[in-house]
Amino acid sequence: MVPFSVTILGSNSAIPTLHRKPTSQLLNLNERLYLIDCGEGTQVELRRNHVKFLRIKAIFISHMHGDHYFGLIGLLNSMHLLGRTKPLVIVAPEELKRIIHIQLLAANTRLSFEWEFRPLTPNSHTVVFEDSALRVQNFPVKHRIPCHGYLFKEQEREPHMKKEMIAKYSIPAVDIVKIKKGGGFALNDGTYIPHEKLTTPNDPPRSYAFCTDTLPLPEELPKYTKGANLMYHEATFLNDQEDRAKKTYHSTAVQAAKVAKACAVDQLILGHFSTRYTTLDTFLTEAKPHFENTDLALEGRTFEIG
Ligand SMILES: [Zn+2]
Ligand SMILES: [Zn+2]
């Protein structure tokens, strides 16, 4: 199986501190790199994790609170100074396009690379990005301003040819390509060997659900994320601040765990911790009785997807 993982670059909410940075994550699918949110200091964390960040293909921003995008213009500028030429895709709420433009305009900077901006419509659920390896859908979450979750899913992979069948029927290479795309094989005497007899299915596509800055949505999120191998869900607060979580459109650790259970995911990671919490063990103590396979999305940690 090809490697598919997410590395946490920032786990804090609201402000950067010495030990925790605002939200940012790096998705790596077989050395294709994608960035999810870009809080202040993201490029420093990319360096700390030895990521060749000129290779990032696309950046996905959840919403327009600064702790999710204040690092973006700095990162774009560094890519420019380092001579990036490959185009970059930015998927984000449409307000961000004007902000990037005005920052570049004020500095009289013309980036060394093309950037394709794909604006998100509030409350939408569409495919926002696709390449040969990955398919990304956004989905609405519920926050003080429009906010988007993302489901990152591997593309369906072609089935494996059964080697013994290739030998048995002397199947030429040109037909193997067709069979892998769903076809069968006709023998000279007219006998038809169906696709299923010639192939074994590949592993099912793995997926990662990114759900940040939201009230808990145990009824809505299964529609978009059911059965994901890994789910990141924000847990800004512990039980002691449940009222505050509701008022600020955030979730507690327990609520995040209940959402993970409702979505029947394999593993849950928690992040977007309020700065008020200096130790984080209690997030696990509170979450695990509701969803056992829970971990903390801390800076520098890498989680395998599937
Ligand atoms: Zn936030
Ligand atoms: Zn927010």
Side-chain angles (χ1 to χ4, degrees):
M1 259 203 292
V2 298
F4 190 21
S5 66
V6 63
T7 297
I8 308 304
L9 304 169
S11 72
N12 213 36
S13 67
I15 56 172
T17 70
L18 280 178
H19 306 291
R20 300 206 301 261
K21 301 294 173 339
T23 306
S24 187
Q25 304 185 355
L26 184 82
L27 196 72
N28 183 334
L29 174 50
N30 206 16
E31 294 310 312
R32 290 174 194 238
L33 306 181
Y34 312 86
L35 192 70
I36 313 167
D37 276 345
C38 189
E40 196 177 340
T42 294
Q43 58 174 317
V44 179
E45 293 306 306
L46 286 166
R47 281 192 185 281
R48 200 191 306 283
N49 286 279
H50 309 291
V51 177
K52 296 193 174 86
F53 59 74
L54 291 186
R55 291 187 37 229
I56 291 170
K57 290 184 71 174
I59 300 177
F60 302 86
I61 302 291
S62 61
H63 68 301
M64 291 305 293
H65 282 152
D67 54 327
H68 298 260
Y69 81 92
F70 278 174
L72 185 61
I73 192 67
L75 180 63
L76 297 181
N77 197 57
S78 295
M79 286 175 168
H80 165 71
L81 293 174
L82 293 167
R84 180 185 179 117
T85 52
K86 267 197 209 147
L88 176 74
V89 173
I90 301 173
V91 180
E94 72 175 323
E95 295 86 345
L96 190 55
K97 189 175 184 185
R98 269 189 294 139
I99 294 172
I100 297 171
H101 268 304
I102 209 162
Q103 286 174 312
L104 295 174
L105 192 67
N108 196 22
T109 297
R110 188 182 150 73
L111 293 178
S112 61
F113 55 94
E114 298 299 320
W115 52 288
E116 184 200 334
F117 190 89
R118 299 190 186 168
L120 295 172
T121 312
N123 295 314
S124 58
H125 176 226
T126 52
V127 176
V128 291
F129 179 89
E130 198 162 14
D131 62 20
S132 62
L134 186 72
R135 180 186 165 98
V136 187
Q137 285 183 295
N138 70 324
F139 55 86
V141 294
K142 207 163 189 178
H143 195 38
R144 272 180 297 144
I145 58 173
C147 187
H148 301 264
Y150 290 104
L151 185 74
F152 300 87
K153 192 170 184 179
E154 277 183 301
Q155 296 284 18
E156 203 84 48
R157 275 168 297 164
E158 290 181 337
H160 301 291
M161 280 298 295
K162 288 183 187 165
K163 288 213 173 69
E164 66 275 19
M165 291 296 177
I166 300 175
K168 186 172 174 188
Y169 299 119
S170 308
I171 304 175
V174 58
D175 288 296
I176 291 176
V177 174
K178 288 183 202 157
I179 293 166
K180 281 189 165 187
K181 299 219 177 301
F185 185 64
L187 305 181
N188 286 337
D189 68 1
T191 317
Y192 187 75
I193 316 293
H195 175 79
E196 292 69 27
K197 270 206 154 158
L198 301 167
T199 58
T200 48
N202 212 318
D203 299 312
R206 295 163 288 174
S207 61
Y208 174 54
F210 174 83
C211 315
T212 199
D213 287 42
T214 183
L215 285 169
L217 302 171
E219 266 146 48
E220 290 90 332
L221 287 197
K223 278 185 262 175
Y224 312 118
T225 67
K226 190 137 200 154
N229 299 83
L230 181 67
M231 170 181 270
Y232 167 83
H233 197 289
E234 73 123 295
T236 309
F237 297 107
L238 291 169
N239 269 337
D240 64 332
Q241 299 287 329
E242 199 179 330
D243 287 349
R244 186 164 171 73
K246 196 171 177 187
K247 239 188 267 163
T248 56
Y249 287 79
H250 285 296
S251 302
T252 65
V254 168
Q255 291 167 339
K258 287 180 176 173
V259 170
K261 191 167 184 204
C263 295
V265 300
D266 296 339
Q267 188 182 5
L268 169 68
I269 51 176
L270 302 175
H272 200 266
F273 308 114
S274 166
T275 307
R276 75 182 61 222
Y277 303 111
T278 49
T279 56
L280 301 171
D281 296 349
T282 318
F283 281 83
L284 291 183
T285 316
E286 292 190 359
K288 275 176 176 267
H290 303 276
F291 191 84
E292 170 58 29
N293 196 7
T294 303
D295 217 329
L296 300 175
L298 296 176
E299 280 78 0
R301 293 194 66 183
T302 294
F303 297 89
E304 301 300 328
I305 298 164

